[in-house]
Amino acid sequence: MPGVEPIAQQQSLETLYSDHHTWLVRWLRKRMNCSHHAADLAHDTYLRLLTTGNTPPVTESRRYLTRIASGLMIDLYRRRRVESAYLDSIRYLPEPEIPDTETRQLIIETLIEIDVMLDKLPTNVRRALLMRQLDGYSYREIAEHMQVSVSSVEKYVAQGLAACYLAVNGTST
């Protein structure tokens, strides 16, 4: 029966919450050194479970919860790092050039998406792409720096640009 399954999932989530919430908050607090952030991430962990509708088998509960919470913690630290770097970069702009709050948030979200995409690339691809696009190095300079052939650098940059294209068009690599 279609109506029975969501109730069973909800009961499972309620049981999961009542059995492991306190433990999860303590686990997060040890790693984050902040009870407020730990409580927020525990909440986000259960929210993720609620929105996906997936609950683990009883024997896998804590492992499943820690995997989700760890991913959320990584996302939080990534966001803080990117946001801090961006805010540092605009700190000394003249007042009229500082983007408004909404624009800053959109820029930060975009930078986080770029950071995630770059993080998925192989190390040589990421390094070559960044050296070419941000530092303006020639293919020969990159090849010398990375101690690879120019044709390898060309392939790395092409692979990185293809990943960027796919990311912009809503397809991940």
Side-chain angles (χ1 to χ4, degrees), residues 7-168:
I7 294 170
Q9 288 177 347
Q10 183 63 32
Q11 289 173 347
S12 180
L13 185 59
E14 289 173 10
T15 302
L16 188 66
Y17 184 88
S18 65
D19 289 351
H20 301 289
H21 180 261
T22 302
W23 169 83
L24 181 61
V25 171
R26 270 192 259 124
W27 184 85
L28 286 163
R29 190 177 9 203
K30 283 181 188 176
R31 281 146 186 81
M32 301 183 78
N33 295 321
C34 177
S35 60
H36 299 293
H37 292 304
D40 287 345
L41 277 184
H43 170 79
D44 291 347
T45 300
Y46 286 102
L47 186 60
R48 175 78 50 97
L49 287 170
L50 182 64
T51 58
T52 63
N54 296 330
T55 53
V58 174
T59 58
E60 298 291 318
S61 297
R62 287 190 176 183
R63 192 168 75 90
Y64 196 76
L65 289 169
T66 56
R67 187 173 61 228
I68 293 170
S70 293
L72 292 171
M73 202 172 2
I74 289 167
D75 291 347
L76 175 66
Y77 289 139
R78 170 179 273 135
R79 179 175 186 75
R80 286 180 183 171
R81 181 177 47 81
V82 169
E83 188 171 8
S84 176
Y86 173 70
L87 293 175
D88 284 347
S89 74
I90 65 168
R91 176 176 295 146
Y92 299 108
L93 287 176
E95 185 70 33
E97 293 181 29
I98 296 176
D100 61 58
T101 304
E102 184 178 336
T103 303
R104 281 196 306 259
Q105 290 306 311
L106 289 171
I107 291 169
I108 290 168
E109 290 302 321
T110 302
L111 290 171
I112 290 168
E113 289 176 23
I114 291 168
D115 188 55
V116 168
M117 187 273 305
L118 288 172
D119 196 45
K120 291 178 183 177
L121 294 175
T123 302
N124 284 346
V125 172
R126 181 176 53 251
R127 286 181 60 208
L129 179 67
L130 293 176
M131 290 173 77
R132 178 73 179 153
Q133 298 303 118
L134 297 183
D135 300 327
Y137 290 158
S138 69
Y139 288 115
R140 182 165 305 288
E141 291 170 325
I142 297 168
E144 290 171 6
H145 183 76
M146 294 178 65
Q147 298 180 341
V148 297
S149 68
V150 172
S151 66
S152 291
V153 171
E154 290 170 344
K155 290 175 187 171
Y156 295 153
V157 172
Q159 187 178 347
L161 290 172
C164 291
Y165 175 81
L166 292 173
V168 166

